Amino acid sequence: MKKLMYLLALASVLCIHVSAQSSQEDSPENLRKYVPLLPSVKAQMWKIDPKIGYAVHNVGGGVYVISDNGWQSAFLVTDEGVIVFDAPASFGKSIPSEIAKVTDKPIKMLVYSHAHKDHIGGSAAFKNIKDLRIVSLDSVSDFLKEMDDPNRLVPNETFKTTKTLTLGSQTVELTRHDYHSNEGDLFIYVPQAKFLMAIDSVTAGYAPFQGFDITTNFHEYLKVFDELLAYKFDTFVGGHLTSQGRGKTSRLPKSSQWTSTTRLNGFITTWTKLPLQLTLRKRSERTMNSYCSRCS
């Protein structure tokens, strides 16, 4: 009994400490320390009708990108149907109706980039689509079965490392990487459209989010930039914040300190190893502080 009382008292003290710390972090004085969004970043944001809350851009090759200036997804229109890449919780419910405005072709596939619900938590909007193929890594499927989340449909087609989807005259290359989530992440590549999607990897035109998008494997994260540059792409979607990146790439000369440079939408991200030097800009938006709670 004494032990139980001790544990309860300790828990109470910890809660008070966490609450006080949270209040201090959210104080007006501390909030003023956050650097505002750069004008160059705001300039890249899409013009979105507030009554709609998102916009759809045709980026060519049958690919359309959807964004609410916070999250991004995309879909590919082929002569035999449509493949959707992610269904974010914020606007996923509207994706089927937006596709219907572009084509009368049926939605055939839904591809999950990874398991986090902020990117696929709108997939319930697709539950009544007949014979829909929901494609993901097997590890993502296992996780979603365990979570039993009605807002994240369980995949019915899985694979371990690589898979090529074919629909009509278009192909989509899916490749596993492990730079972000515990269950694995996908590079989604449409070669005919030169379109590359790697969610929660690089934010075009901006610095990485807090905690490098809460990466669970920083060693793999450092490899992402060279891995992205191995693809020939004209359009890049990283899943968050600004407009999609364009395929202008440049690479600094290799030095004894190993440098990888990626240029997306005019923003250069440079990583130097031995020693590792990281220069980051804090986001003014506090939304990413609660990012973890929306992911699992």
Side-chain angles (χ1 to χ4, degrees):
M1 188 66 178
K2 288 183 178 180
K3 187 176 181 180
L4 177 60
M5 293 298 292
Y6 172 76
L7 290 174
L8 289 173
L10 179 61
S12 177
V13 171
L14 288 173
C15 286
I16 292 171
H17 174 71
V18 170
S19 177
Q21 186 179 38
S22 178
S23 297
Q24 290 173 1
E25 287 178 353
D26 292 334
S27 68
E29 185 177 318
N30 278 334
L31 287 175
R32 281 194 290 270
K33 295 177 183 177
Y34 280 75
V35 180
L37 284 174
L38 297 172
S40 59
V41 175
K42 289 183 178 180
Q44 294 174 35
M45 286 185 168
W46 292 6
K47 293 180 180 179
I48 293 176
D49 185 341
K51 294 179 181 178
I52 298 174
Y54 59 87
V56 180
H57 285 193
N58 182 352
V59 298
V63 176
Y64 295 77
V65 176
I66 313 175
S67 178
D68 59 2
N69 278 333
W71 279 262
Q72 299 169 322
S73 69
F75 61 89
L76 171 66
V77 178
T78 79
D79 49 8
E80 291 188 9
V82 179
I83 304 175
V84 180
F85 309 125
D86 280 352
S90 59
F91 59 79
K93 64 181 181 181
S94 302
I95 294 177
S97 60
E98 288 302 319
I99 290 174
K101 295 177 184 178
V102 172
T103 179
D104 58 0
K105 300 295 182 183
I107 298 172
K108 291 289 189 178
M109 304 181 208
L110 172 60
V111 178
Y112 289 166
S113 64
H114 64 300
H116 290 170
K117 65 184 177 183
D118 62 320
H119 290 282
I120 64 171
S123 64
F126 297 77
K127 66 181 179 182
N128 294 323
I129 297 178
K130 187 179 179 181
D131 299 324
L132 178 68
R133 296 164 61 187
I134 305 176
V135 184
S136 81
L137 291 168
D138 54 2
S139 49
V140 168
S141 180
D142 291 342
F143 175 78
L144 293 177
K145 289 175 185 175
E146 210 174 295
M147 295 300 291
D148 192 24
D149 180 358
N151 293 313
R152 286 180 284 182
L153 301 180
V154 175
N156 53 28
E157 189 171 326
T158 65
F159 63 101
K160 290 189 178 298
T161 54
T162 61
K163 186 177 181 68
T164 298
L165 303 175
T166 301
L167 188 63
S169 59
Q170 294 270 24
T171 59
V172 179
E173 298 173 6
L174 308 177
T175 308
R176 178 179 182 133
H177 294 264
D178 293 277
Y179 58 83
H180 175 59
S181 66
N182 284 320
E183 301 75 32
D185 315 280
L186 288 183
F187 279 12
I188 300 170
Y189 182 56
V190 184
Q192 294 93 327
K194 292 186 178 179
F195 171 82
L196 179 61
M197 185 169 175
I199 301 301
D200 292 331
S201 61
V202 176
T203 305
Y206 206 64
F209 288 144
Q210 181 181 4
F212 296 91
D213 272 336
I214 61 170
T215 178
T216 57
N217 192 335
F218 195 71
H219 177 69
E220 290 298 316
Y221 188 91
L222 286 175
K223 299 177 183 178
V224 161
F225 307 102
D226 283 331
E227 290 170 343
L228 291 173
L229 288 173
Y231 288 82
K232 294 181 179 179
F233 61 91
D234 289 333
T235 304
F236 174 82
V237 166
H240 282 291
L241 193 61
T242 57
S243 178
Q244 71 274 1
R246 306 307 300 177
K248 294 180 180 179
T249 61
S250 65
R251 188 187 297 261
L252 293 180
K254 293 283 184 177
S255 69
S256 59
Q257 293 187 318
W258 184 85
T259 302
S260 172
T261 301
T262 301
R263 189 183 191 107
L264 291 168
N265 244 355
F267 177 76
I268 300 179
T269 306
T270 304
W271 310 95
T272 305
K273 202 172 175 181
L274 298 175
L276 179 65
Q277 298 172 342
L278 303 175
T279 302
L280 298 176
R281 180 174 293 272
K282 291 182 178 179
R283 288 193 66 199
S284 62
E285 299 170 310
R286 298 284 287 177
T287 55
M288 292 311 293
N289 285 343
S290 60
Y291 183 60
C292 290
S293 66
R294 297 199 299 273
C295 290
S296 60

